[in-house]
Amino acid sequence: SRLLTRRFFCARRRNILEIFNTVKDMQDKANRLREQGKRIAFVPTMGYFHEGHLDLMREGRKRGDYLVISIFVNPTQFGPAEDLDKYPRDFERDRTLAEEVGVDAIFFPDNEGMYPPRYQTYVDVEGVTKNLCGAARQGHFRGVATVCTKLFNIVKPHVTVFGKKDFQQLVTIRTMIRDLNMDIDVIGMPTTREHDGLAMSSRNVYLSEEERESALSLSRSLFLAKKMFEAGETDAGKVLAEVTRYIESYPHTRIDYAKISCVDTIEEAQHVGVDTFIALAVKVGKTRLIDNHVFGEVLDIPYPEGR
Ligand code: AMP
């Protein structure tokens, strides 16, 4: 009978993963959950999951009674010369992984459902999107803020989970939620890395073997910056000079930007301190990678001796 009891509980614990493809179906579900007093946790994604996405979902799992994730490669956040068309996609694989970490529902709309004909409304967060990726990718954060607003109105979450890997995006979402009085808690999660330190990204699949080695220059140079700060260096220019020299010592790398900015305003900082972070965007071959480190926070990567 003990075996039977265990089987019973195992069977009960396995949740059924629901898939919603239309805005209406997702909103109806969200309304029913809220009527039942359920707390909705939400993780927006563009799919092609890696362990970083799954860590966000595991956190979401703890934060709510019902965990929704979305998979939507949002066209409005890609520039005309960017990788929208070749962005990696694999819904069946994503569905299996989501099920394994206990996701309750996937919102998986199509472009027409999200941006029907005569669509004409956008959300523009001003100050914090001016620098870094906001300067390098015109219109990117307008697309991000717009799609997140839409997703929040569709999924109606109480709490949402974002990664610090996209630090400026996290600050943009926090700012928007505050300014527009959206009643949603935001959780920022640390960056999940490969064993050698490379920040996990769906775009890492674009890298050749040689480029994969050069991609390590990002995380390793962040570690270098962290060491300089810990040794007492506070001149942002000096830290950035070292970081730049280091990244450029690897083949196939072209720095888009390497900057130290204030964590709240994303304005450039002259002095390194715990209220600042170093942000990198580097083209490795044709693949644009980003990474960052908030000074004073943990950065757990193996640093090769002698390089
Ligand atoms: P994406 O699918 O790339 O739009 O990312 C969806 C969410 O996952 C965003 O909140 C990202 O910041 C987060 N994310 C992406 N990569 C990582 C990572 N390596 N570690 C933690 N979170 C991540």
Side-chain angles (χ1 to χ4, degrees):
S1 89
R2 212 205 255 152
L3 193 71
L4 270 178
T5 318
R6 219 164 74 202
R7 278 222 185 108
F8 175 70
F9 279 112
C10 285
R12 265 175 62 89
R13 223 186 280 156
R14 185 172 300 144
N15 61 323
I16 301 143
L17 176 62
E18 299 186 87
I19 314 280
F20 298 100
N21 294 111
T22 71
V23 170
K24 176 80 168 53
D25 288 349
M26 188 71 246
Q27 280 176 327
D28 287 348
K29 178 70 190 185
N31 287 336
R32 286 198 299 277
L33 288 164
R34 279 182 168 258
E35 276 161 24
Q36 293 162 9
K38 295 269 170 26
R39 186 169 165 84
I40 304 172
F42 177 46
V43 180
T45 82
M46 299 203 298
Y48 212 72
F49 295 153
H50 50 66
E51 207 57 38
H53 292 117
L54 303 184
D55 283 343
L56 264 50
M57 294 175 207
R58 291 180 187 110
E59 186 65 22
R61 178 71 285 162
K62 291 187 224 157
R63 300 275 177 170
D65 305 307
Y66 189 91
L67 173 61
V68 182
I69 65 164
S70 62
I71 299 177
F72 182 60
V73 183
N74 172 41
T76 65
Q77 72 189 66
F78 285 77
E82 292 179 8
D83 58 344
L84 172 63
D85 292 334
K86 68 165 189 162
Y87 195 85
R89 294 163 167 91
D90 188 342
F91 181 75
E92 284 313 317
R93 178 173 164 278
D94 286 351
R95 178 220 284 261
T96 306
L97 291 170
E99 199 157 26
E100 278 170 17
V101 298
V103 168
D104 293 300
I106 303 179
F107 177 53
F108 182 51
D110 57 20
N111 286 350
E112 292 67 36
M114 290 294 277
Y115 299 105
R118 298 194 300 111
Y119 188 88
Q120 51 199 292
T121 305
Y122 295 89
V123 180
D124 209 344
V125 181
E126 296 186 345
V128 298
T129 68
K130 287 284 170 284
N131 299 326
L132 307 183
C133 280
R137 303 178 69 187
Q138 276 303 313
H140 171 66
F141 286 115
R142 181 182 191 248
V144 169
T146 300
V147 80
C148 286
T149 299
K150 289 169 65 64
L151 291 168
F152 293 159
N153 285 331
I154 296 163
V155 175
K156 308 179 192 238
H158 297 83
V159 57
T160 185
V161 187
F162 282 78
K164 289 186 186 173
K165 156 86 177 0
D166 302 272
F167 193 83
Q168 192 177 16
Q169 170 173 276
L170 172 63
V171 173
T172 301
I173 296 302
R174 281 193 195 283
T175 303
M176 177 184 85
I177 284 178
R178 189 199 60 193
D179 288 354
L180 297 184
N181 312 101
M182 296 177 174
D183 193 6
I184 304 171
D185 295 335
V186 183
I187 312 293
M189 291 292 289
T191 300
T192 306
R193 298 177 179 280
E194 303 284 358
H195 292 298
D196 57 8
L198 179 67
M200 291 199 181
S201 164
S202 305
R203 289 188 167 100
N204 290 348
V205 296
Y206 297 149
L207 300 168
S208 71
E209 208 173 303
E210 249 182 57
E211 289 168 348
R212 174 70 179 67
E213 180 61 27
S214 286
L216 287 173
S217 64
L218 281 86
S219 54
R220 287 174 178 172
S221 68
L222 292 178
F223 195 81
L224 194 68
K226 177 188 164 72
K227 286 287 161 212
M228 286 179 80
F229 174 62
E230 285 169 357
E233 184 59 72
T234 59
D235 184 330
K238 283 191 183 155
V239 173
L240 291 173
E242 273 304 298
V243 162
T244 302
R245 183 197 57 75
Y246 184 85
I247 294 171
E248 287 175 347
S249 78
Y250 283 75
H252 313 295
T253 56
R254 214 186 67 226
I255 296 174
D256 189 349
Y257 63 73
K259 287 194 168 156
I260 292 172
S261 314
C262 168
V263 290
D264 299 315
T265 62
I266 318 290
E267 276 166 16
E268 234 174 304
Q270 303 309 318
H271 299 283
V272 188
V274 290
D275 55 347
T276 68
F277 72 112
I278 175 166
L280 306 174
V282 179
K283 274 261 191 109
V284 180
K286 286 187 170 136
T287 308
R288 186 175 181 278
L289 301 176
I290 59 170
D291 203 348
N292 69 79
H293 169 63
V294 179
F295 289 102
E297 289 194 356
V298 186
L299 178 62
D300 195 14
I301 68 158
Y303 188 67
E305 296 296 325
R307 174 112 200 175

